Amino acid sequence: MNAAFETITGFSQEELTGRLPDEVFFDPVTDFTVLNQIKEAGKNKKSVTIEFWHKRKDGARFWAHLDSVLIPGPEKDSNWRLNIVADISEQKHQQTEMERLALVASSNRDGVLFVGLDGKIEWANEGISRLTCFVNAEIIGSTPIDLFKGSLTGKEALKEMIGLFESGSPFNISAIFYRKDGTYFWGRSKGQPIKDKKGSTQRYFCIIEDISEEKASEEKLKVLSQIAENNINAVVIADKEGKISWANRSFTQMTGYQLEEVSGKSPGSILQGPETDKKTANQLRKQIREGKPFSAEILNYNKDREKYWVRIQGQPIINDKGETTGYFALEENITDKKEAELRFRNALEKIGDNVWEHNFETGRTFFSKPNNNLLGQELKVFSNAQKLWWESIHPDDLPILVENDEKYRKGEVDSHRLEYRLVHKDGSVKWVLDRGVVIKKDSNGLPLLITGTHTDITATKQTATELAIRVKQFRSLSENIPGVIYEYEFRPDGTEGMRYLSPAIEKIFGIPKDEYFRNHEKFVHPDDRYRIAKKNKISKETLENYFDESRLMVPGRGIVWRSVSSSFSYQTEDGTRVFTGFMLDISERKLTEEKLESQKNFYEEILNNLPADVAVFNNKHEYLFVNPQGIKDAALRKWIIGKRDEDYCT
């Protein structure tokens, strides 16, 4: 026996000399069949080749390949047997793995290949024939590139795949595959190296999937992407596995990555970093994996590894068969908003009537002030008063805090702002504004420490209640006065319209409130609209009081005259300017004025035709009227109205 045999079996030559192999390397019960084969070969003086479980010195076994050959012995007519043993455990393991994979691959509708290190196909399932129309005899022994490459197959994709194949790395490449008849389809080729126990690649297991429909959907999306290209927010389109296939310019501006740098990669793999919340990232991946819409705020890292906050909203792209073919996501940079929130949270410690701190590990809550006016209790500085606080919460509001506490424990919230009631020591009810923020988390992103403030808002709540009563009183008043009260707003986006309108509009003008509120302009007489718009513009820009008399066209009533007057009242937080005004029906006054004007014109016509000088003065001796007989010059006659004789003479 040689040294290699000693290495394989663990026995030395001295230990085996003079012993029968049957006693050393075989088990008479489990290896009965193999022993019989060897004995039969010896009896018949024949060579034999078998594979069996060979015993080692330590009792372990390995797969052995035995070639037992008869050779001439040193004596006449004598024969010796030369036994050559090879350890084929690794080959057997690879064979078993191949058989398992082949069994799975046979039932797979996608194309499945086993490719050797020389690039030639060793095995293919029926799915490959369905996809490419090549028969098995044409496939085995050929390379995938020789069979499926064509003029439209991307050179860069092939180059990338070959490079990964030669380096023993997994690959996931989309390219155009050609069929035997010259037609082609879009396919996704995913390859995984099969390695031995030493980590050396033995062959590749490859799956080829027809993604033509997916690519068609992508083409449609590219049309939409042209619309999205100039969107102020980042727009990302990914395939069904969440790999980026397209991104707009805003994505590049936000992240610093060009499309070619991120194409084929998942956003999380390039944009997430050490401070990215794992729970949020996992939730996003879960939603994508399950083909569901997703929405989250998450901390990302740009190409220069600078942190920024982004709000992501996305949804799956579904084809006509109801299958998910990709994903569409809109990403908004909210870093400024998040930083503002952080500054606000830090400021919480410096405001409020009492600063508190809760430790989730110990379950203890501490308050900073010894004299807590909200409870009417004397507390030691930073004493543990959690039980006292919870017992003082109004029973109707307790579920609010229980729910909030559960959200913190599940890691669903990082901060809170609650308003609830406490029962004071003297039995009175106090309203508290409770604000808090997580300042320490564990490795799983769950809160360890929260700090916050309690502020007494009892007076504010009482004011709000009183204000609500005043509003009810105002609305009641507005419904009973002989005019229409309204609020008119000029919004920051340039639009304008009614903010409030009293129900009296229907009673006074006969116009339904909802109709006038939605589109008041349609009721305004066309000849008055330009003037009204001009006056509105002046009031909006200068905040001057507004007044106008105009006509409404009311179905069933015809022309109705109204007077409208308003003044600037207040500006909302979003910059909306609000005017409060009053609207009256002046139709009767206008009718009276028209009659008076008609009478005036009638008498002036008579006086104008008298053959004598006629002039009419007021009590200040100012001209109210003069006929052509008195002053023949029409311009002079017009000028003198409102003046006296002295003005004329000078």
Side-chain angles (χ1 to χ4, degrees):
M1 57 182 283
N2 63 0
F5 187 82
E6 291 181 354
T7 301
I8 292 173
T9 65
F11 288 101
S12 65
Q13 185 165 341
E14 291 76 15
E15 291 174 305
L16 295 179
T17 302
R19 298 179 67 181
L20 291 174
D22 301 6
E23 301 172 356
V24 181
F25 306 128
F26 298 93
D27 185 303
V29 178
T30 59
D31 299 333
F32 178 78
T33 302
V34 176
L35 285 169
N36 277 347
Q37 284 182 271
I38 295 173
K39 288 177 181 178
E40 281 295 317
K43 189 186 298 183
N44 298 322
K45 298 181 179 182
K46 292 182 179 180
S47 298
V48 64
T49 298
I50 56 175
E51 294 177 353
F52 66 99
W53 276 102
H54 199 297
K55 287 176 67 176
R56 288 192 175 95
K57 181 180 178 180
D58 60 6
R61 294 214 175 203
F62 66 94
W63 269 103
H65 177 91
L66 172 65
D67 285 314
S68 184
V69 184
L70 286 177
I71 60 174
E75 299 177 5
K76 187 179 180 181
D77 297 328
S78 67
N79 291 309
W80 283 20
R81 187 171 289 278
L82 175 64
N83 294 317
I84 301 172
V85 178
D87 185 348
I88 60 169
S89 299
E90 185 59 40
Q91 292 94 313
K92 278 290 186 179
H93 173 72
Q94 291 290 331
Q95 180 182 339
T96 302
E97 288 300 307
M98 280 276 290
E99 289 171 353
R100 288 175 182 169
L101 290 172
L103 181 63
V104 174
S106 297
S107 59
N108 198 316
R109 291 198 60 79
D110 293 328
V112 180
L113 300 172
F114 286 103
V115 180
L117 295 182
D118 58 0
K120 294 182 179 179
I121 299 169
E122 298 177 348
W123 184 89
N125 72 342
E126 292 182 5
I128 286 290
S129 297
R130 282 195 298 270
L131 284 174
T132 67
C133 301
F134 287 102
V135 297
N136 209 47
E138 297 170 312
I139 296 171
I140 304 302
S142 299
T143 70
I145 293 176
D146 291 338
L147 284 179
F148 311 133
K149 176 184 149 187
S151 58
L152 296 179
T153 304
K155 293 181 181 179
E156 289 300 317
L158 284 179
K159 183 179 178 181
E160 182 182 356
M161 184 177 69
I162 292 171
L164 292 169
F165 180 88
E166 291 178 346
S167 67
S169 303
F171 58 82
N172 185 339
I173 304 296
S174 296
I176 290 178
F177 287 70
Y178 277 78
R179 300 184 181 92
K180 185 177 180 180
D181 60 5
T183 60
Y184 60 85
F185 64 94
W186 269 99
R188 180 183 292 111
S189 177
K190 292 185 283 189
Q192 185 70 33
I194 300 173
K195 300 185 178 184
D196 60 22
K197 293 180 179 178
K198 296 178 181 179
S200 299
T201 299
Q202 301 299 308
R203 56 182 54 81
Y204 263 81
F205 176 77
C206 305
I207 296 177
I208 298 175
E209 176 188 3
D210 186 343
I211 59 170
S212 300
E213 287 188 5
E214 184 178 321
K215 282 292 181 180
S217 296
E218 286 182 11
E219 290 302 317
K220 292 178 183 178
L221 282 173
K222 284 180 181 178
V223 175
L224 295 175
S225 70
Q226 298 303 312
I227 301 172
E229 179 62 36
N230 297 316
N231 196 302
I232 191 172
N233 295 321
V235 179
V236 176
I237 297 173
D239 61 23
K240 68 178 183 180
E241 295 181 344
K243 311 292 184 182
I244 298 173
S245 59
W246 183 87
N248 69 348
R249 278 195 294 267
S250 293
F251 176 85
T252 298
Q253 293 168 358
M254 185 184 295
T255 67
Y257 289 103
Q258 299 294 328
L259 177 58
E260 52 269 24
E261 295 178 277
V262 299
S263 183
K265 300 175 182 177
S266 66
S269 67
I270 55 176
L271 299 177
Q272 293 171 10
E275 294 184 38
T276 301
D277 184 67
K278 293 179 181 178
K279 184 178 180 67
T280 303
N282 290 336
Q283 181 62 24
L284 281 173
R285 281 192 285 270
K286 180 176 180 291
Q287 293 295 99
I288 292 172
R289 188 168 58 250
E290 295 177 358
K292 296 178 179 179
F294 50 90
S295 176
E297 292 182 359
I298 194 168
L299 182 69
N300 278 347
Y301 290 74
N302 64 18
K303 189 175 180 179
D304 295 330
R305 305 317 290 164
E306 296 171 340
K307 293 178 284 189
Y308 68 96
W309 278 92
V310 65
R311 179 183 291 119
I312 302 173
Q313 292 179 303
Q315 63 184 45
I317 301 164
I318 311 296
N319 64 14
D320 295 337
K321 297 179 181 178
E323 301 167 333
T324 299
T325 60
Y327 294 88
F328 178 90
L330 193 68
E331 301 183 1
E332 178 187 0
N333 191 325
I334 58 170
T335 304
D336 290 344
K337 172 180 173 291
K338 281 291 183 179
E339 288 178 349
E341 286 180 359
L342 181 60
R343 289 193 296 270
F344 173 74
R345 290 172 185 172
N346 291 337
L348 281 178
E349 297 184 32
K350 302 176 183 179
I351 62 175
D353 296 327
N354 204 344
V355 177
W356 56 266
E357 185 176 277
H358 179 72
N359 189 312
F360 275 98
E361 290 183 297
T362 64
R364 293 170 65 86
T365 302
F366 302 95
F367 295 86
S368 62
K369 294 184 179 180
N371 188 6
N372 192 318
N373 292 325
L374 285 167
L375 300 179
Q377 304 283 354
E378 290 292 332
L379 305 173
K380 293 181 180 180
V381 177
F382 293 107
S383 63
N384 181 19
Q386 180 187 18
K387 183 179 179 182
L388 174 62
W389 186 267
W390 279 82
E391 288 177 349
S392 300
I393 296 169
H394 193 286
D396 292 345
D397 295 343
L398 187 60
I400 299 173
L401 277 81
V402 171
E403 180 184 4
N404 188 60
D405 185 64
E406 289 177 353
K407 287 182 177 179
Y408 270 117
R409 294 181 184 280
K410 293 177 182 178
E412 296 177 356
V413 294
D414 289 329
S415 62
H416 74 270
R417 183 185 187 281
L418 301 175
E419 294 181 4
Y420 53 90
R421 291 164 292 178
L422 294 170
V423 179
H424 193 270
K425 181 181 179 181
D426 62 11
S428 63
V429 174
K430 297 280 188 178
W431 275 95
V432 61
L433 170 60
D434 184 340
R435 288 176 287 190
V437 61
V438 175
I439 59 173
K440 186 179 179 181
K441 293 183 178 181
D442 64 16
S443 58
N444 296 317
L446 297 176
L448 294 175
L449 202 62
I450 302 176
T451 188
T453 63
H454 289 142
T455 303
D456 187 346
I457 58 170
T458 305
T460 304
K461 283 290 185 178
Q462 289 172 346
T463 301
T465 302
E466 293 171 1
L467 180 60
I469 294 172
R470 295 290 182 271
V471 169
K472 289 181 180 179
Q473 292 173 338
F474 167 76
R475 294 188 183 278
S476 176
L477 178 64
S478 69
E479 292 172 7
N480 291 285
I481 61 176
V484 180
I485 297 174
Y486 70 91
E487 283 187 336
Y488 195 82
E489 61 183 11
F490 297 97
R491 308 177 190 101
D493 62 3
T495 61
E496 59 187 71
M498 289 291 170
R499 184 183 183 91
Y500 168 75
L501 184 67
S502 68
I505 184 75
E506 187 164 3
K507 179 180 178 182
I508 295 173
F509 290 98
I511 302 174
K513 176 184 173 182
D514 291 343
E515 288 187 34
Y516 191 88
F517 193 93
R518 284 195 303 269
N519 187 7
H520 63 91
E521 289 185 354
K522 78 173 185 178
F523 295 100
V524 178
H525 195 285
D527 295 344
D528 296 340
R529 290 175 185 171
Y530 175 75
R531 184 186 70 256
I532 291 172
K534 188 175 180 180
K535 288 186 176 183
N536 270 345
K537 187 173 185 295
I538 294 172
S539 293
K540 171 188 174 182
E541 294 173 352
T542 66
L543 301 184
E544 291 180 2
N545 291 349
Y546 174 93
F547 178 78
D548 187 63
E549 293 183 351
S550 58
R551 291 162 289 179
L552 294 177
M553 298 181 296
V554 181
R557 288 187 63 186
I559 301 297
V560 177
W561 278 91
R562 64 169 181 174
S563 70
V564 181
S565 58
S566 65
S567 60
F568 175 70
S569 294
Y570 60 94
Q571 182 167 304
T572 64
E573 290 183 1
D574 66 358
T576 298
R577 294 180 171 183
V578 181
F579 280 67
T580 302
F582 194 69
M583 196 187 312
L584 282 173
D585 184 346
I586 59 170
S587 300
E588 290 187 10
R589 178 170 67 81
K590 281 292 184 180
L591 182 59
T592 301
E593 289 175 355
E594 288 176 4
K595 289 179 179 179
L596 290 173
E597 183 67 22
S598 176
Q599 290 176 357
K600 174 188 171 187
N601 292 337
F602 172 75
Y603 290 118
E604 284 184 356
E605 183 66 24
I606 293 173
L607 295 174
N608 283 335
N609 290 286
L610 288 175
D613 296 350
V614 178
V616 179
F617 301 91
N618 61 16
N619 57 1
K620 295 180 182 179
H621 208 72
E622 294 172 339
Y623 281 90
L624 297 177
F625 171 80
V626 60
N627 72 349
Q629 189 68 26
I631 299 177
K632 292 181 173 54
D633 187 326
L636 180 59
R637 191 166 65 246
K638 182 178 180 181
W639 173 84
I640 204 169
I641 301 301
K643 297 181 176 60
R644 298 184 294 183
D645 287 335
E646 302 93 275
D647 300 322
Y648 176 67
C649 295
T650 57

